[in-house]
Amino acid sequence: VLARLGAPGAEAVLIPALEIPSHRELVRQAALEGLADVGSLEAFGRAAVLVRAVHDDDLRRTALSVLERAGSEDPQILDLLFELLGDVDQEIVGTAIEILGRVGKLDASRSVRRLLALAGPGVPAERAQAIQAAVQAIRRPADAAEKAPAGG
């Protein structure tokens, strides 16, 4: 709420809140989302640490969402997403695939190669479809280019 209201000093309150354990990690999730809302440079780094280090699925998904928002133009997000493609939590893998479909254009050829490497024999049909959708999204021309008038 502090972040959405643009309260001065919100970042100074939110950073320590990332260390406060709570039921279902709700405090840490809210603090992380708040940091992203205020455009904090801390948001990306803290989210990257949390998505790797914590065992709470909801907090990890929040961290992934923040990573996408805070780092969608940062090539470092790709390295983290590639790392998460090998995660033991299949929901995290699925979310990483979806996010790669949205930000993979930062390094399209490497993103496509990494995704297609997951699509080998024995991959469940649902996962194969998600991989294919992400690959198609990466290969699709930017929306602005599609909507630009011809010869303009």
Side-chain angles (χ1 to χ4, degrees):
V1 173
L2 288 173
R4 290 189 184 118
L5 294 175
E11 187 174 14
V13 173
L14 294 169
I15 290 173
L18 290 171
E19 305 303 322
I20 300 172
S22 64
H23 177 68
R24 299 189 59 206
E25 297 291 5
L26 296 175
V27 172
R28 292 168 98 184
Q29 287 180 53
L32 195 54
E33 289 173 345
L35 285 172
D37 288 345
V38 297
S40 169
L41 298 176
E42 289 280 327
F44 184 88
R46 297 294 180 124
V49 168
L50 289 172
V51 79
R52 290 178 174 123
V54 299
H55 300 290
D56 182 89
D57 294 340
D58 291 332
L59 181 55
R60 291 184 81 205
R61 281 191 288 279
T62 298
L64 271 172
S65 171
V66 166
L67 283 168
E68 181 179 11
R69 287 173 33 207
S72 62
E73 300 297 320
D74 188 336
Q76 290 182 34
I77 191 174
L78 294 178
D79 293 330
L80 179 58
L81 291 170
F82 295 151
E83 179 184 324
L84 293 174
L85 293 176
D87 199 89
V88 296
D89 183 333
Q90 291 304 300
E91 285 188 42
I92 295 295
V93 174
T95 303
I97 289 169
E98 290 173 16
I99 294 172
L100 269 170
R102 293 188 289 271
V103 303
K105 287 181 171 83
L106 291 170
D107 187 345
S109 63
R110 190 167 70 135
S111 297
V112 168
R113 279 196 315 272
R114 293 296 294 263
L115 286 166
L116 291 177
L118 294 176
V123 171
E126 185 176 311
R127 176 58 45 86
Q129 289 172 347
I131 292 167
Q132 194 58 39
V135 167
Q136 288 173 356
I138 292 167
R139 289 179 171 164
R140 186 176 316 130
D143 291 341
E146 289 177 22
K147 294 177 184 175

